[in-house]
């Protein structure tokens, strides 16, 4: 979500919500947020696997392989070692990829994102780890097609009806999954997104969505994940309302305070905990009542 002096990222689920505002919406920024305040860079198998999926020269990957198992405590230390490996740290695209890989390696080194599925609106920065694509955002591409004839408009409408019928069936299956249904959905997906209508733009869009089959059908493997990002959109609505009323913040500390307080508010609400009772407990206003545990503990208990 763009802001006057940065971009706000929402990370959340059924039991928690976090807002963080920064000056970038890059993948590196998103990985840095997932790193949860840590500043280290790690070269391990996860780092090398990440790089192998990028257009990186083999010589660069070979040089980093010699550093496997190393943990660099800061960005400066990391850059120094890259330079010692004769890697051009002034090549911005290359450095971006290396930073992303080492940050991803740090996440896995600390045991983070091991079993997490990221459900997103398909913005490129969110395509990390195990990724699932929001069906609502995927279907919106069909709405944007500018049909030039009644025949084309009818083709779009028929495809949309088929997709929504498939989506509703998938939503029902999710409540009571079965292996047989999973096979049926995969075959039906191929039929719908393999259609060729003669409308060039529509056929190209169907082919593009067909290539995202694994992400659109991730729920068949992980039935606990949502089919859309509506919950995130709802969480961000509070942030947008706050921005419209206040017009933004005056300082970096103000942005941090806004993000933290809104995140705490949303998390307390999801946990069924009074936000004001929680704040009162933290500033010592709840008298002799039992202390409320840290929200991280409450979130883990509710899992």
């Amino acid at each position: 979500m763009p802001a006057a002096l940065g971009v706000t990222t929402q990370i959340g689920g059924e039991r928690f919500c976090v807002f963080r505002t920064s000056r970038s919406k890059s993948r590196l920024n998103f990985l840095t947020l997932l790193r949860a305040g840590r500043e280290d860079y790690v070269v391990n198998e996860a780092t090398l696997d990440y790089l192998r999926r990028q257009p990186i020269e083999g010589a660069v990957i070979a040089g980093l392989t010699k550093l496997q198992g190393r943990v660099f405590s800061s960005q400066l230390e990391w850059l120094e070692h890259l330079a010692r490996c004769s890697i051009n740290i002034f090549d911005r695209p290359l450095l971006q990829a290396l930073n992303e890989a080492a940050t991803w390696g740090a996440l896995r080194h600390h045991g983070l994102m091991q079993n997490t599925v990221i459900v997103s609106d398909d913005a490129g920065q969110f395509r990390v780890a195990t990724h699932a694509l929001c069906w609502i955002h995927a279907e919106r591409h069909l709405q944007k097609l500018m049909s030039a004839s009644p025949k084309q408009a009818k083709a779009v409408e028929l495809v949309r009806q088929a997709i929504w019928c498939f989506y509703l069936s998938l939503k029902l299956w999710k409540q009571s999954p079965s292996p047989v249904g999973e096979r049926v959905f995969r075959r039906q997906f191929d039929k719908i997104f393999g259609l060729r209508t003669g409308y060039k733009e529509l056929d190209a869009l169907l082919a593009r969505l067909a290539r995202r089959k694994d992400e659109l059908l991730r729920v068949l493997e992980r039935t606990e994940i949502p089919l859309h990002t509506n919950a995130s959109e709802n969480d961000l609505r509070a942030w947008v309302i706050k921005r419209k009323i206040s017009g933004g913040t005056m300082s970096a500390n103000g942005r941090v305070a806004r993000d933290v307080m809104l995140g705490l508010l949303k998390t307390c609400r999801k946990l069924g905990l009074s936000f004001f009772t929680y704040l009162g407990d933290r500033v010592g206003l709840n008298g002799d009542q039992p202390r409320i545990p840290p929200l991280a503990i409450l979130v883990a208990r509710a899992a």
Side-chain angles (χ1 to χ4, degrees):
M1 177 64 65
L5 294 174
V7 177
T8 298
T9 300
Q10 182 270 355
I11 302 173
E14 294 181 353
R15 296 172 295 275
F16 77 98
C17 178
V18 173
F19 298 98
R20 290 293 182 269
T21 299
S22 56
R23 294 185 179 275
S24 170
K25 60 178 180 180
S26 67
R27 183 175 297 173
L28 178 58
N29 175 70
F30 181 57
L31 289 170
T32 300
L33 295 178
L34 294 177
R35 195 166 49 174
R38 297 179 176 87
E39 297 182 353
D40 53 352
Y41 294 78
V42 179
V43 179
N44 50 25
E45 192 57 35
T47 308
L48 299 175
D49 284 343
Y50 187 99
L51 287 175
R52 293 183 187 113
R53 295 191 294 271
Q54 311 298 322
I56 304 295
E57 293 183 4
V60 174
I61 297 177
L64 285 176
T65 302
K66 299 176 182 178
L67 299 176
Q68 190 166 356
R70 294 290 301 274
V71 177
F72 305 98
S73 60
S74 67
Q75 185 180 42
L76 179 59
E77 184 181 353
W78 164 241
L79 291 176
E80 287 177 348
H81 279 271
L82 289 181
R84 290 173 189 171
C85 293
S86 301
I87 294 174
N88 182 10
I89 61 175
F90 298 104
D91 183 335
R92 294 186 64 180
L94 174 60
L95 182 61
Q96 179 86 1
L98 294 176
N99 286 340
E100 289 175 7
T103 303
W104 174 244
L107 282 164
R108 301 312 299 267
H109 174 73
H110 293 293
L112 301 173
M113 303 296 294
Q114 291 184 336
N115 198 40
T116 302
V117 177
I118 296 176
V119 183
S120 83
D121 60 1
D122 201 28
Q125 67 267 30
F126 301 127
R127 294 185 200 170
V128 295
T130 304
H131 182 254
L133 187 57
C134 168
W135 275 87
I136 306 297
H137 282 85
E139 191 274 341
R140 283 179 186 170
H141 294 295
L142 291 168
Q143 301 179 37
K144 297 177 182 178
L145 290 174
M146 302 295 290
S147 303
S149 68
K151 182 179 178 180
Q152 290 182 348
K154 184 177 180 180
V156 172
E157 185 58 28
L158 289 174
V159 169
R160 288 188 65 199
Q161 289 178 8
I163 289 176
W164 281 121
C165 182
F166 181 90
Y167 171 82
L168 291 174
S169 299
L170 192 61
K171 191 175 181 179
L172 289 173
W173 175 89
K174 186 175 180 291
Q175 299 174 12
S176 182
S178 67
V180 175
E182 179 180 340
R183 292 191 292 272
V184 172
F185 278 117
R186 292 189 184 279
R187 289 197 297 268
Q188 190 62 27
F189 182 96
D190 292 336
K191 290 181 180 179
I192 294 174
F193 292 93
L195 286 172
R196 293 299 174 263
T197 66
Y199 179 7
K200 183 179 178 181
E201 287 77 10
L202 174 58
D203 292 347
L205 177 55
L206 289 172
R208 181 158 66 88
L209 291 174
R211 292 192 292 270
R212 311 296 298 278
K213 177 179 179 179
D214 290 342
E215 293 161 283
L216 284 167
L217 295 183
R218 188 72 65 193
V219 69
L220 297 178
E221 308 164 8
R222 300 288 297 275
T223 56
E224 76 277 10
I225 68 172
L227 292 167
H228 48 69
T229 59
N230 289 357
S232 294
E233 301 282 347
N234 182 64
D235 286 343
L236 278 165
R237 191 169 294 118
W239 185 94
V240 173
I241 292 172
K242 178 74 172 177
R243 182 188 62 183
K244 286 182 177 179
I245 294 173
S246 66
T249 58
M250 298 295 292
S251 67
N253 288 338
R255 290 193 293 275
V256 171
R258 176 200 58 200
D259 291 348
V260 170
M261 295 299 282
L262 283 176
L264 290 175
L265 171 63
K266 285 287 184 178
T267 300
C268 285
R269 185 172 298 171
K270 293 183 180 189
L271 293 171
L273 175 66
S274 166
F275 177 56
F276 293 103
T277 300
Y278 173 77
L279 286 184
D281 179 81
R282 288 301 178 264
V283 297
L285 299 180
N286 288 351
D288 296 331
Q289 297 181 25
R291 292 299 305 274
I292 299 175
L295 291 185
I297 294 177
L298 296 179
V299 170
R301 286 178 183 174

